Amino acid sequence: MTEREAEALIRRRAWVGQKPGLDRIRRLLERLGGPQRKLKFVHIAGSNGKGSAAAMLASVLTAAGLKTGLYTSPHLWDIRERFQVDGVPIFGEDFAEITAQVLEQSEDETEFELMTAIGMVHFLRSGCDIVVLETGLGGRLDSTNVIDAPEAAVITRIGLEHTELLGDTLDKIATEKAGIIKPGCDVVLYNQGAHLCRLFEELCKLRHSGLSLTCTPAALSAGLEGQSFTYRDKGPYHISLLGEYQVRNAAVVLETVNALRRRGWELPEEAVVRGLEQARWPGRMELVRRAPDVILDGAHNPQCMEALARALRGLYPEKKPVFLAGVLADKDWPAMLEELLPLAQVCFTLTPDSPRALPAGTLAEYLTGRSVQAVPCGGLREGLDRALAAAGPEGVVCVCGSLYMIGEARHLLGLC
């Protein structure tokens, strides 16, 4: 079985839709010998920034000489991106072999549950010292929560998302995210206001878990080459990831490093500096081309769009970007677009490759009604060509609105 055949078989065999609960993944992993019980984890949940924090932390742990697994979702172009060891995606042959093993033991699992099982088997086979494990949706009932107490449970910034499944208030969503906190583990929380901090303090007391809050990093410099900062009088640190919010995500990583050190993990400061500098997270405020500058960003909710708009203003204070945008109809896309309207020179619209996509024509009509020049395009290749031409060599193109487009955009630009 080839890699592509394995991916297609997963999609055919998996249950379609959401089926919250941990019973199915527990049974499947038991049939596979319980690989998750033989691994150590840092478990990361949150609404925004969890993928960036996971990628930076994994880079730091690898730089410290630990064999480090990284499990993330969704992938941008190749399904193997979800399962990395020391920054290297699972090999196609290994993916096909492990997929066959998992499917042989499967019954009625969802696609994400099958992916989680594949990851657990791969990380154990690879001899990982530690695995950075990103939740898929929520936390309490997410299939990654099948693990025992992790070395650290990390909660990044929380916002209103998937309200039909997680709840319609920040408190409800935070409680779902906090479901990854287990008795005895250390907890790291992105500091996002007194109310949520008090909520997590109470939850950690109930579960006998220590809580660390991030503080604000001290910025030293920021530009298209990256950002430098100090944190708790240590550093300087440098990250190539763009956007001021990524410095705050790096603070989450540094607090997690401190939590791991307290548990006996040897993480030299020079490895932390090197790991942050080497960290990459494609498709998130990613500068992929110059003349014109092309920024790819998977911003897909109002919080992310607000952060994207703020980053673009900081990087290009004298320029109005050309946007190439597509959104999903079940997102709060009017609120998302509200952040971009004041910045836009022109917007070329797309229909993302998803059954949940908002048609490009509908999006263009809405933008035109908000006094933004908007042109629907038949596909991403056409949209890129038109956006690049409209921007000219001195301009800026920003592709955003849905992660469903970012992988194809990177492929068309020769990056994958």
Side-chain angles (χ1 to χ4, degrees):
M1 181 168 56
T2 67
E3 170 195 341
R4 294 299 181 192
E5 288 170 341
E7 181 178 358
L9 190 55
I10 288 172
R11 301 196 189 287
R12 287 199 302 272
R13 291 278 299 274
W15 179 278
V16 177
Q18 298 287 342
K19 289 201 303 181
L22 298 176
D23 289 343
R24 291 177 304 279
I25 184 65
R26 284 196 182 109
R27 290 193 298 267
L28 175 59
L29 288 173
E30 283 306 307
R31 293 192 293 271
L32 291 166
Q36 81 283 4
R37 295 196 302 271
K38 304 162 190 172
L39 294 163
K40 294 184 182 296
F41 299 93
V42 174
H43 204 182
I44 302 183
S47 303
N48 298 310
K50 59 181 179 174
S52 299
M56 285 189 275
L57 179 61
S59 182
V60 166
L61 297 174
T62 295
L66 298 169
K67 181 164 279 193
T68 304
L70 174 63
Y71 179 66
T72 59
S73 62
H75 60 277
L76 295 181
W77 183 249
D78 190 323
I79 196 171
R80 298 182 302 113
E81 299 166 20
R82 297 178 181 230
F83 322 96
Q84 298 186 30
V85 174
D86 291 340
V88 179
I90 186 173
F91 294 121
E93 298 85 354
D94 293 335
F95 175 69
E97 180 186 345
I98 294 173
T99 297
Q101 179 186 353
V102 169
L103 290 178
E104 185 178 355
Q105 299 296 330
S106 69
E107 292 178 347
D108 58 350
E109 295 82 13
T110 66
E111 181 178 325
F112 190 72
E113 288 165 346
L114 294 175
M115 296 293 187
T116 301
I118 291 167
M120 297 298 182
V121 173
H122 175 57
F123 298 136
L124 182 60
R125 278 194 183 186
S126 300
C128 288
D129 299 306
I130 193 165
V131 176
V132 180
L133 189 67
E134 180 194 3
T135 61
L137 176 63
R140 181 175 64 93
L141 297 177
D142 187 79
S143 69
T144 61
N145 207 28
V146 71
I147 65 172
D148 294 329
E151 297 296 288
V154 180
I155 311 292
T156 63
R157 189 181 180 192
I158 293 171
L160 291 174
E161 56 156 354
H162 303 292
T163 53
E164 72 285 358
L165 294 171
L166 304 181
D168 57 1
T169 68
L170 286 181
D171 280 15
K172 292 177 182 177
I173 291 173
T175 302
E176 287 295 316
K177 306 289 185 186
I180 70 169
I181 300 172
K182 298 182 174 69
C185 75
D186 284 285
V187 180
V188 174
L189 177 66
Y190 179 108
N191 195 334
Q192 49 203 305
H195 177 71
L196 284 181
C197 287
R198 284 194 298 271
L199 173 64
F200 276 92
E201 285 171 358
E202 291 302 316
L203 291 169
C204 286
K205 284 180 184 177
L206 289 172
R207 297 170 194 177
H208 306 287
S209 298
L211 176 63
S212 300
L213 300 175
T214 62
C215 65
T216 303
L220 299 177
S221 65
L224 293 174
E225 72 287 349
Q227 307 175 81
S228 296
F229 61 97
T230 60
Y231 186 73
R232 297 195 186 276
D233 298 322
K234 287 187 176 182
Y237 303 103
H238 180 83
I239 58 174
S240 65
L241 282 67
L242 305 181
E244 178 265 340
Y245 58 91
Q246 293 290 18
V247 174
R248 297 198 297 274
N249 290 332
V252 173
V253 173
L254 292 169
E255 287 294 343
T256 306
V257 166
N258 290 336
L260 291 172
R261 284 169 170 164
R262 290 193 295 270
R263 296 180 73 93
W265 292 87
E266 188 174 339
L267 302 173
E269 186 64 13
E270 60 269 22
V272 177
V273 172
R274 187 169 68 255
L276 285 176
E277 188 166 7
Q278 293 174 345
R280 300 293 183 269
W281 190 228
R284 282 74 171 183
M285 199 62 200
E286 182 185 18
L287 176 63
V288 296
R289 173 174 166 165
R290 306 300 305 270
D293 286 4
V294 177
I295 299 279
L296 305 182
D297 192 86
H300 57 280
N301 62 38
Q303 276 185 311
C304 291
M305 280 294 196
E306 187 274 331
L308 170 61
R310 189 169 63 249
L312 289 172
R313 288 190 188 97
L315 291 170
Y316 303 103
E318 305 298 325
K319 296 182 179 181
K320 279 188 169 290
V322 171
F323 287 100
L324 180 57
V327 297
L328 301 185
D330 57 359
K331 297 283 187 178
D332 187 4
W333 56 268
M336 290 165 52
L337 296 170
E338 195 67 31
E339 301 292 341
L340 301 184
L341 296 180
L343 300 180
Q345 173 186 332
V346 60
C347 186
F348 295 94
T349 64
L350 297 170
T351 305
D353 184 17
S354 167
R356 298 152 51 206
L358 186 76
T362 304
L363 180 57
E365 184 178 354
Y366 174 83
L367 291 169
T368 300
R370 299 301 306 276
S371 301
V372 174
Q373 183 184 355
V375 181
C377 298
L380 190 52
R381 175 76 275 173
E382 176 193 341
L384 270 176
D385 290 342
R386 298 184 73 165
L388 292 171
E394 301 301 318
V396 180
V397 173
C398 180
V399 185
C400 63
S402 174
L403 276 170
Y404 285 89
M405 304 184 309
I406 299 302
E408 185 183 357
R410 295 186 89 252
H411 178 69
L412 290 173
L413 291 167
L415 300 170
C416 59

